[in-house]
């Protein structure tokens, strides 16, 4: 499935993606896709210009990708297309401090015949600081679309790779007519992953190798300086690694270290203290033990926009033995502690942003709600989505708030951002307006009486870059438990495959379930979730890192009749 | 030039990043114990006063200074904190198994203070352990000496900052299996192991000379001398040659032990301790004459071919031949009863109480280069102490309280059962470990040949 | 360095007289049987109290007489004044004789290919000349269960005495079919299966066990009716279990698995023994109620869970015994079965008490294995398996100075001791390095 999907993605890009040549002059457009104007006025909306600012009724005028004005009595130019904003809320566009959306890991180069795993060339050791995330990035990826839909307008994209994966870049999640690049070399992406079976194979080797590369870059610079100034000096040997590391040792570009837990945070900081580079920490999941360390080191921080799942908490049983209850209590304490961490950062005065690496775009709203429920202020949450990452990435002059002269990046919602019913109606990126369908407010279920019927056989269709496919979803009910299976086109070739469905939950009219698909020796979990309305089901199918795709199904009436 | 020197100093100074940690120090008066000093005999009904983590006074009828808690140890035994010269406790990574020499990697980078094994070791009276790199390489990484100040989330707090640097070497089956047979590179034989060592040290000498030449040339005006490549691997070997690092070498057979003694003598290295050393007894006179001795198992043998011709009398033979001998664990379980492992030398070779106790206190302290500050109950030493119910060399002995720097970290009466410092928020059912992961010498090593891999996992020390 | 003093040798002679026998060049000491009177010792019978200044008379491999007034009557008299006599210790679960060097696959004979192989006989694969046997027996362990492992029904374990040149000479008169009870526990940190998958794997394995059990019952019933059945050695062996001819020794460790195993056994005809029972202490009352005896251990072992009290494994046998379970102790070892007394001592120190701990390595395993008429205590008529020690044989300081197995006085030597004798004062010693 993975390979098929990937191929399909690439193919899709080639067919649909035509990139503008950047001509300044208008042309005809037989595709009919071109917009009529680049000037928009969103009028009479509640505008929150920056975190902590009260919402005021105002109009936002944007022109050629820039905010041309914010205010209550702006004079609108003739070419302005008016977007009615009554009842809408406008926020600065979100900024993902670190993201892998749209990134595809490059194929490993073929190993030479006489390959020596104990002393591999840098490229096999995961040392590829010369690589650029831009070379691995596709703006057409459905993941990019998913994050835009969640309100993200700018992302720092990290290359996929080993310990020194390469140069991060900052991009707009913008139109297909632009390259969308804001910065080509914003950070050096680093992590503690070893190069499996090859030196350095583990985190301890990675740390040693990091020191070695760093020190030799410094020596290379010293030799180069000497070569320039002292006649008779030998020409220094430049390698692509040392060349690419040069602006890191000059502190022009920070090292962006992925550090998921407190011990990795300490390791990254100890390397930084030892060697003296500029450091940004990213991907923090478990960091409550190092909040004072982060504060003291004064290192910019991007935490994972994720919270631990609550399966373990839900599985705790009331009638457990006392000793088991004590263990439950510790898990619960750990769980609550994990949710509270972000608020502790706020308390400590650490201005953090978010990394969306490993984040499902569809979960962003829920995750934010959970952080706020556990003590993070709405102001700090908004800052972590806007002004903080703008500062951390060094783009606060052009992004992060709604101000005249900044990039026209906006999130426009149906209600105040963090309220339960708020939905994203428009996202403006670089002056381009993206419209999203919103649904009428859900009726609150007053009782269990209007639980929907899901048992039976459903015919479903789904759409993915690989094309349209479909099959039969069978659900049976036993009390409040649901089980079943699903058929689908076998990703490994011809015919149909079948998997059991798991974690089936019916909550009001919402139905969700998972199933595993085996493809190419690996197993992929697919999550389907959506709304049941009578005998029809509309929802989405999430296929891990490949993105989210529409999924609809109809309950087969004859089988129900047979029951 | 000054700048350059500083630059080099930064290369060489490997431990300053953690140096600023402040660890807790306690004061306590332990009264009326049978004090097993190890270095000065047994003192009946005696008191030991600890102030600010240091043993201040040993004697009788000592009264507690104000504010210092008194512990009544009447009928109990007090001994120095037990020192394990070979463990892999509290390390997130044990093996960087990817090259025959990985001298540049540092176990102190991988210390995990949350490991429950630290508390369990304290419950067995162990206050210091030598957390070692694994045995996959001829020259492994640099080890770290830990003080079991369990409870902190900061690795620096459990690192014994005043212990000297040590490094892991390994001979015989493990490095030849991982490299020669696993990767198709040298060494595949014990001949290759010697060659790797001699090549490494010879290259290190060249490296040292290159930097010395460069440094003296570059101080001349208008020098065109080019700075050599920096190589922390070779620099670490230079530090060994300069006597700054103690070698702790995983070894089993007499011939390979003898080989390393010869290599060390040829390169002028004297800071050398053998680990495991199952056939050390066969070359006990040589070990005694030329090295800092051997750290051995009490009775392990026959789990692999190179330990088939072992004897549980090894420690006794080594001791009687004058070699410094310690008993170690290399195991998450054995570390919990090293006092019992040491007692086995009384059955196998009739060691005296003092000889047996030295094997888990003073002798490992000597081998780790810390015997001036720990390892015995002496005034002025760090107050790492254990109170036992029963003589610690009795099989029925039970540790009651364990102190590190005068601070109590284990108390059999007061401690709650669940001592985990960290719990996963997503753990549904806790994993159950049935005799798992107690031996970790080859932990994390990928073995690419299947015929024997299954048995390897059973016996990987 | 060569300062091995005469005093030390004098010490050696005084305290380790057994060594003297093997120190003469060229002499090989063989086990020797006959009529022996062990005179004037403290005799710890286990079942009949402790007798001071008592003697034990051995003849024809049996204990003939125990008491304070035993006449030599032509027996070779061994003066045991100041010494202690105990029954030989029994290890309830080992791989002794089935493994020589565990990392050398060619010397491992405990795990056969296949999931249902109850017909694999440990007794056939026992190597009577294993170097590990003499190393073990001088510690006072005279009898062990040697147990195959691997699949669901990996084979048939056998009780062996640690003396003999053929497996039949060693055989201790008891066999049991081994079962590895399907586990519903996560096996360790590396076990990444989902909870659902663990449940499924467990259910599948249990179903397989039930199928085998039912087939065996059918086989036994048809045989009883006189049917001539096709050759099916696996089920034929299992039929001996369902018919009660051979007990089933069930390896089970996690608390939940023990509860499942109790349920599984319920209503089944046959004899059942649990082994391992690492988490037995969590469900001790339930095991006691079910009346199933256990072979617990290893005792010197880590707790099964990180959250457990550090001494969980040490205290396990004591807690089981207190709940009323009949407990034997095992090392689950091969080359270090000699540590059985230390495992027992740890159990004793951590709540079991010395008396119960002694039973757990003598009479309890004998009773569990149905051989208490032959082994497990010093009583007239029982097999002469006993040890003479300078003190409590659990203590490391004590020396075991005589061991009798099946009435044979065994040589107190082995490779470890011979290497000691050769290398204590090596000759040539230290030579100048050239």
């Amino acid at each position: 499935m993975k390979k098929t999907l990937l191929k399909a993605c690439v193919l899709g890009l080639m067919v649909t993606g035509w990139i503008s040549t950047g001509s300044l002059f208008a042309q005809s457009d037989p595709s009919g896709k071109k917009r009529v104007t680049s000037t928009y006025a969103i009028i009479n909306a509640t505008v929150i210009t920056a975190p902590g600012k009260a919402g005021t009724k105002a109009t936002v005028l944007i022109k050629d990708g820039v905010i041309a004005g914010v205010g209550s009595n702006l004079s609108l130019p003739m070419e302005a297309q008016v977007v009615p904003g009554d009842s809408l809320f406008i926020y600065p566009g979100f900024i993902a401090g670190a993201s892998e959306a749209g990134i595809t890991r490059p194929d490993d180069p073929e190993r030479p015949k006489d390959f020596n795993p104990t002393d591999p060339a840098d490229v096999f050791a995961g040392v590829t600081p010369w690589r650029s995330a831009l070379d691995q990035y596709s703006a057409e990826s459905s993941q990019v679309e998913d994050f835009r839909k969640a309100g993200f307008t700018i992302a720092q994209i990290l290359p996929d790779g080993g310990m020194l994966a390469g140069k991060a870049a900052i991009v707009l999640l913008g139109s297909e007519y632009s390259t969308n690049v804001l910065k080509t070399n914003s950070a050096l992406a680093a992590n503690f992953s070893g190069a499996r079976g090859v030196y350095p194979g583990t985190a301890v080797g990675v740390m040693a190798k990091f020191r070695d590369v760093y020190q030799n870059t410094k020596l290379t610079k010293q030799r180069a300086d000497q070569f320039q100034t002292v006649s008779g000096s030998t020409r220094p040997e430049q390698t692509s690694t040392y060349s690419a590391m040069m602006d890191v040792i000059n502190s022009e570009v920070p090292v962006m270290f992925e550090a998921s837990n407190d011990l990795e945070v300490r390791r990254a900081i100890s390397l930084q203290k030892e060697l003296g580079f500029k450091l940004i920490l990213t991907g923090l999941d478990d960091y409550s033990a190092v909040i004072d360390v982060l504060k003291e080191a004064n290192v910019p921080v991007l935490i994972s926009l994720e919270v631990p799942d609550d399966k373990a908490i839900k599985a705790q049983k009331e009638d457990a033995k006392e000793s088991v209850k004590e263990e439950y209590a510790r898990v619960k304490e750990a769980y609550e502690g994990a949710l509270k961490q972000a608020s502790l950062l706020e308390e400590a005065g650490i201005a953090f942003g978010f990394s969306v690496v490993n984040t499902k775009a569809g979960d962003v709203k829920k995750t934010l709600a959970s952080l706020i429920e556990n003590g993070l202020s709405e102001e700090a949450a908004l800052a972590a989505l806007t002004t903080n990452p703008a500062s951390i990435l060094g783009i606060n002059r052009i992004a992060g708030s709604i101000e005249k002269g900044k990039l026209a990046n906006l999130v426009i919602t149906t209600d105040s951002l963090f309220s339960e019913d708020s939905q994203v109606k428009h996202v403006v990126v670089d002056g381009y307006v993206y419209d999203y369908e919103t649904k009428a407010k859900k009726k609150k279920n007053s009782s269990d009486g209007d639980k929907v019927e899901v048992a039976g056989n459903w015919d479903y269709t789904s759409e993915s870059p690989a094309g349209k496919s479909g099959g039969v979803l069978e659900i049976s009910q036993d009390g409040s438990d649901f089980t079943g299976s699903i058929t689908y086109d076998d990703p490994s070739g011809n015919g149909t495959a079948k998997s059991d469905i798991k974690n089936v939950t019916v909550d009001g009219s919402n139905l969700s379930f998972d199933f595993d698909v085996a493809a190419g020796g690996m197993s992929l979990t697919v999550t389907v979730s959506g709304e049941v309305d009578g005998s029809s089901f509309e929802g989405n199918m999430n296929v891990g890192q490949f993105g989210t795709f529409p999924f609809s199904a109809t309950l087969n009436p004859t089988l129900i009749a047979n029951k | 030039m000054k700048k350059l020197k500083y630059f080099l100093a930064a290369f060489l100074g490997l431990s300053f990043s953690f140096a600023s940690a402040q660890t807790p120090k306690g004061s306590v008066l332990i009264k009326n114990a049978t004090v097993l000093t190890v270095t000065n005999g047994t003192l009946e009904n005696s008191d030991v006063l600890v102030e600010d983590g240091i043993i201040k006074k040993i004697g009788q009828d000592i009264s507690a200074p104000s504010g210092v808690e008194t512990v009544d140890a009447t009928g109990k035994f007090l001994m120095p904190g037990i020192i394990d010269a070979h463990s892999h406790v509290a390390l997130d990574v044990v093996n960087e198994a990817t090259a025959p020499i990985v001298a540049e990697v540092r176990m102190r980078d991988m210390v995990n203070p949350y490991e429950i094994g630290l508390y369990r070791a304290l419950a067995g009276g162990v206050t210091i352990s030598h957390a070692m790199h694994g045995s996959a390489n001829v020259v492994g990484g640099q080890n770290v000496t830990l003080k079991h100040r369990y409870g902190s989330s900061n690795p620096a707090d459990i690192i014994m900052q005043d212990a000297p640097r040590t490094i892991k070497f390994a001979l015989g089956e493990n490095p030849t299996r991982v490299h020669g047979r696993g990767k198709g590179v040298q060494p595949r034989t014990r001949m290759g192991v010697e060659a790797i060592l001699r090549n490494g040290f010879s290259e290190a000498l060249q490296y040292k000379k290159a930097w010395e030449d460069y440094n003296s040339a570059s101080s001349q005006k208008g020098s065109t001398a080019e700075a050599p490549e920096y190589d922390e691997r070779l620099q670490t070997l230079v530090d060994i040659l300069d006597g700054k690092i103690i070698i702790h070498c995983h070894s089993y057979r007499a011939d390979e032990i003898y080989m390393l003694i010869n290599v060390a003598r040829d390169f002028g290295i004297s800071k050398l301790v053998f680990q495991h050393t199952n056939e050390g007894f066969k070359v006990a006179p040589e070990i005694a004459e030329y090295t800092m001795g051997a750290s051995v198992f009490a009775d392990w043998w026959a789990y692999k071919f190179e330990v088939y011709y072992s004897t549980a009398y090894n420690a006794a033979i080594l001791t009687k031949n004058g070699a410094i001998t310690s008993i170690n664990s290399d195991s998450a379980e054995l570390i919990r009863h090293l006092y019992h492992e040491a007692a086995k030398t009384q059955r196998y070779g009739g060691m005296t109480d003092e000889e047996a106790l030295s094997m888990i206190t003073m002798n490992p302290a000597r081998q780790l280069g810390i015997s001036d500050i720990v390892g015995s109950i002496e005034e002025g030493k760090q107050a790492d102490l254990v109170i036992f119910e029963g003589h610690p060399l009795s099989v029925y002995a039970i540790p009651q309280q364990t102190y590190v720097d005068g601070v109590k970290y284990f108390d059999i009466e007061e401690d709650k059962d669940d001592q985990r410092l960290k719990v996963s928020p997503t753990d549904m059912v806790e994993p159950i470990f049935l005799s798992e992961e107690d031996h970790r010498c080859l932990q994390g090593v990928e073995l690419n040949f299947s015929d024997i891999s299954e048995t390897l996992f059973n016996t990987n020390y | 360095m060569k300062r091995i003093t005469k005093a030390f040798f004098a010490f050696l002679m005084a305290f380790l007289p057994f060594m003297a026998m093997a120190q003469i060049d060229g002499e090989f000491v063989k086990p020797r049987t006959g009529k022996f009177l062990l005179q004037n010792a403290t005799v710890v019978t286990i079942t009949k109290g402790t007798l001071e200044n008592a003697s034990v008379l051995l003849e024809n491999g049996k204990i003939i007489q125990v008491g304070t007034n035993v006449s030599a009557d032509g027996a070779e008299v061994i003066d045991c004044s100041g010494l202690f006599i105990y029954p030989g210790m029994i290890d309830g679960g080992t791989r002794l004789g089935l493994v020589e060097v565990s990392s050398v696959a060619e010397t491992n004979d405990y795990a056969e290919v296949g999931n249902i192989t109850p017909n694999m006989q440990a007794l056939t694969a026992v190597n009577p000349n294993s170097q590990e046997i003499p190393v073990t027996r001088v510690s006072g362990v005279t009898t062990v269960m040697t147990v195959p492992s691997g699949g669901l029904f990996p084979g048939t374990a056998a009780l062996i005495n640690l003396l003999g040149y053929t497996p039949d000479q060693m055989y201790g008169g008891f066999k049991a079919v081994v079962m590895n009870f399907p586990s519903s526990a996560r096996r360790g940190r590396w076990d990444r299966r989902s909870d659902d998958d663990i449940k499924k794997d467990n259910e599948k394995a249990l179903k397989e066990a039930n199928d085998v059990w039912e087939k065996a019952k059918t086989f036994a019933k048809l045989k009883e009716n006189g049917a001539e059945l096709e050759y099916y050695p696996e089920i034929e062996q299992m039929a001996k279990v369902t018919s009660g001819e051979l007990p089933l020794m069930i390896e089970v460790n996690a608390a939940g698995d023990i509860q499942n195993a109790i349920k599984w056994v319920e209503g089944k005809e046959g004899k059942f023994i649990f082994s391992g029972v690492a988490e037995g202490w969590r469900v001790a009352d339930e095991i006691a109620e079910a009346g199933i005896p256990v072979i617990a251990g290893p005792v010197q072992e880590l707790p099964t869970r990180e959250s457990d009290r550090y001494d969980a494994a040490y205290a396990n046998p004591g807690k089981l015994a207190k709940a009323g379970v009949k407990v034997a102790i095992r090392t689950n070892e091969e080359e270090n079965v000699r540590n059985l007394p230390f495992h027992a001592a740890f159990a004793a120190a951590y709540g079991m008490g010395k008396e119960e701990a002694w039973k757990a390595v003598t009479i309890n395993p004998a009773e569990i294995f149905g051989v208490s008429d032959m082994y497990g205590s010093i009583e007239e008529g029982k097999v002469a398996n006993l040890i003479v020690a300078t003190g409590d044989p659990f203590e490391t300081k004590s020396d075991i100075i005589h061991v009798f197995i099946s009435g044979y006085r065994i040589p107190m030597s082995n490779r470890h001791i011979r290497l000691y004798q050769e290398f204590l004062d090596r000759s040539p010693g230290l030579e100048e390095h050239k």
Side-chain angles (χ1 to χ4, degrees), chain B residues 290-360:
Chain B
Y290 301 116
T291 76
M292 292 164 67
S295 185
V296 306
F297 292 123
D299 60 5
W300 283 16
W301 72 296
Y303 45 90
K304 62 200 300 198
F305 191 67
E306 61 189 352
V307 293
Y308 191 45
Y309 296 88
S310 303
T311 173
Y313 294 80
N314 193 24
I317 300 173
L318 285 161
T319 301
K320 291 291 173 191
N321 277 274
I324 301 171
T325 307
S326 61
I327 299 278
N328 67 48
S329 80
D330 191 16
S331 145
E333 161 55 18
L334 246 55
I335 197 174
R336 287 143 40 84
H337 45 77
L338 278 170
Y339 52 95
H340 166 59
E341 298 303 307
K344 287 175 181 172
T345 64
Q346 303 197 305
R347 174 164 288 188
Y348 305 120
M351 294 286 97
T352 64
D353 284 2
E354 198 154 292
E355 282 170 329
L357 287 174
S358 294
M359 289 189 200
I360 50 170

Side-chain angles (χ1 to χ4, degrees), chain B residues 147-378:
Chain B
K147 264 210 163 186
H148 296 170
R149 303 183 189 99
Y150 188 64
S152 168
S153 62
N154 186 356
D157 289 345
I158 65 164
I159 293 174
M160 187 172 182
Q161 307 291 356
D162 33 13
R165 292 164 70 194
T166 68
I167 192 165
K168 178 73 172 276
F169 278 33
L171 313 175
E173 287 182 15
N174 288 8
T176 54
R177 182 169 64 202
V178 170
H179 289 91
R181 291 165 63 195
K183 299 182 198 296
V185 298
Q186 284 184 358
R188 188 156 52 202
T189 64
R190 287 180 171 82
M191 300 186 286
V193 171
E194 179 184 22
I196 295 285
L197 287 168
R198 290 188 183 274
N199 293 348
F201 284 127
S202 301
E203 285 169 27
L205 286 172
Q206 289 178 29
Y207 179 78
K208 186 182 178 184
K209 183 164 186 306
W211 272 100
E212 280 169 356
D213 288 352
Y214 167 71
N215 285 337
S216 63
S218 65
S219 60
Q220 311 290 318
K221 217 178 167 196
S223 166
T224 57
E226 195 187 34
E229 183 97 349
Y230 178 68
D231 190 325
E232 196 162 306
R233 184 175 294 177
L234 291 176
Q235 181 57 52
T236 307
L237 296 180
V238 170
D239 291 349
I240 295 172
L241 293 167
D242 289 348
K244 292 177 184 162
I245 304 179
I246 306 170
I247 298 170
H248 280 256
C249 184
H250 162 112
S251 58
Y252 288 114
R253 254 171 46 180
D255 50 277
E256 66 194 22
I257 294 166
Y258 189 72
M259 175 276 286
L260 183 58
I261 289 175
N262 279 343
V263 170
R265 293 185 74 201
D266 289 349
F267 284 91
I269 297 165
S270 59
K271 291 186 175 172
L272 170 60
V273 178
F274 287 99
Q275 288 283 343
H276 306 325
T277 340
N278 277 45
E279 288 193 7
F281 67 95
K282 294 181 178 172
V283 285
E286 285 79 10
I287 290 175
E289 182 73 16
Y290 301 116
T291 76
M292 292 164 67
S295 185
V296 306
F297 292 123
D299 60 5
W300 283 16
W301 72 296
Y303 45 90
K304 62 200 300 198
F305 191 67
E306 61 189 352
V307 293
Y308 191 45
Y309 296 88
S310 303
T311 173
Y313 294 80
N314 193 24
I317 300 173
L318 285 161
T319 301
K320 291 291 173 191
N321 277 274
I324 301 171
T325 307
S326 61
I327 299 278
N328 67 48
S329 80
D330 191 16
S331 145
E333 161 55 18
L334 246 55
I335 197 174
R336 287 143 40 84
H337 45 77
L338 278 170
Y339 52 95
H340 166 59
E341 298 303 307
K344 287 175 181 172
T345 64
Q346 303 197 305
R347 174 164 288 188
Y348 305 120
M351 294 286 97
T352 64
D353 284 2
E354 198 154 292
E355 282 170 329
L357 287 174
S358 294
M359 289 189 200
I360 50 170
T361 54
M362 265 317 268
N363 292 355
R366 288 187 183 110
Q367 293 170 335
L368 298 179
I370 51 178
S371 56
D372 52 335
I373 47 175
V374 292
S376 62
I377 301 182
E378 286 179 72

Side-chain angles (χ1 to χ4, degrees), chain B residues 336 398, chain C residues 277-282 284 296 298-303 309-323 327 329 343-353:
Chain B
R336 287 143 40 84
I398 298 180
Chain C
V277 290
E279 293 195 348
W281 58 278
R282 289 183 199 278
V299 180
Q300 290 181 345
E301 186 53 278
L302 292 171
R309 193 177 153 82
Y310 73 96
D311 64 0
Y314 305 160
N316 188 35
K319 286 183 176 169
L320 287 162
K322 282 224 164 69
V327 182
I329 287 174
H343 286 256
F346 266 54
Y350 288 84
M352 195 179 209

Side-chain angles (χ1 to χ4, degrees), chain A residues 215-236:
Chain A
Q215 301 290 26
N216 276 313
T217 306
K218 279 173 97 167
L219 286 174
T220 302
K221 179 178 155 48
Q222 184 195 316
R223 289 185 209 114
D225 290 349
Q226 184 181 316
F227 184 62
Q228 294 296 326
T229 54
V230 183
S231 124
S233 295
T234 313
R235 178 184 56 81

Side-chain angles (χ1 to χ4, degrees), chain B residues 397-426:
Chain B
I398 298 180
Q400 303 291 308
Q401 296 183 354
T402 306
Y403 293 81
V404 180
D405 299 327
V407 178
K408 188 166 72 178
Y409 286 90
F410 165 72
D411 189 328
I412 197 169
E413 298 294 338
E414 290 173 10
D415 289 359
K416 61 181 196 303
D417 292 356
D418 181 0
Q419 288 289 338
R420 289 172 299 167
L421 295 178
K422 204 169 185 179
V423 176
S424 162
T426 52

Side-chain angles (χ1 to χ4, degrees), chain C residues 160-332:
Chain C
I160 54 171
N161 288 308
L162 301 186
L163 177 98
Y165 293 102
T166 67
D168 289 333
Q169 287 176 353
M170 299 174 78
Y171 183 49
F174 173 74
K175 286 185 183 180
V177 171
V178 180
M179 175 189 196
N180 280 312
F181 196 78
S183 181
S184 58
R186 206 170 285 281
R187 293 169 202 142
R189 238 179 284 263
W190 45 270
D191 185 350
R192 295 279 177 209
R193 292 175 301 164
S194 73
D195 290 347
D196 280 352
D197 287 345
I198 289 175
K199 209 173 146 202
K200 268 184 205 155
D201 289 353
N202 181 242
E203 281 164 3
K204 200 178 139 210
L206 265 178
K207 188 177 176 300
E208 196 172 2
N210 286 330
D211 288 352
V212 169
W213 187 269
E214 289 307 317
K215 273 186 199 167
K217 269 169 70 178
T218 309
F219 189 98
K221 197 172 161 197
L222 296 179
K223 269 272 174 185
E224 207 183 296
N225 295 347
E228 281 200 21
L229 297 171
E230 275 180 44
Y231 183 62
Y232 199 165
E234 290 85 1
I235 297 302
E236 190 174 352
Q237 184 73 353
M238 278 307 294
K240 291 181 186 161
V241 175
T242 59
S243 65
E245 186 186 335
L246 284 179
L248 187 66
M249 200 157 91
I250 302 173
E251 177 75 15
V252 58
N253 284 291
D257 294 342
I258 296 172
Q259 288 169 318
N260 290 343
I262 291 172
K263 271 184 222 136
W264 191 78
V265 161
E266 236 170 42
K268 285 196 170 61
E269 278 175 44
K271 296 175 206 148
F272 302 97
I273 303 164
F274 286 173
S275 66
V277 290
E279 293 195 348
W281 58 278
R282 289 183 199 278
V283 290
D285 292 338
E286 293 164 58
I287 303 174
E289 198 180 321
I292 298 164
V294 305
I295 315 288
V299 180
Q300 290 181 345
E301 186 53 278
L302 292 171
T304 50
R305 306 182 193 191
E306 293 206 335
S307 57
D308 283 343
R309 193 177 153 82
Y310 73 96
D311 64 0
Y314 305 160
N316 188 35
K319 286 183 176 169
L320 287 162
K322 282 224 164 69
V325 180
K326 183 170 286 265
V327 182
I329 287 174
R330 70 167 189 186
T331 58
N332 205 28

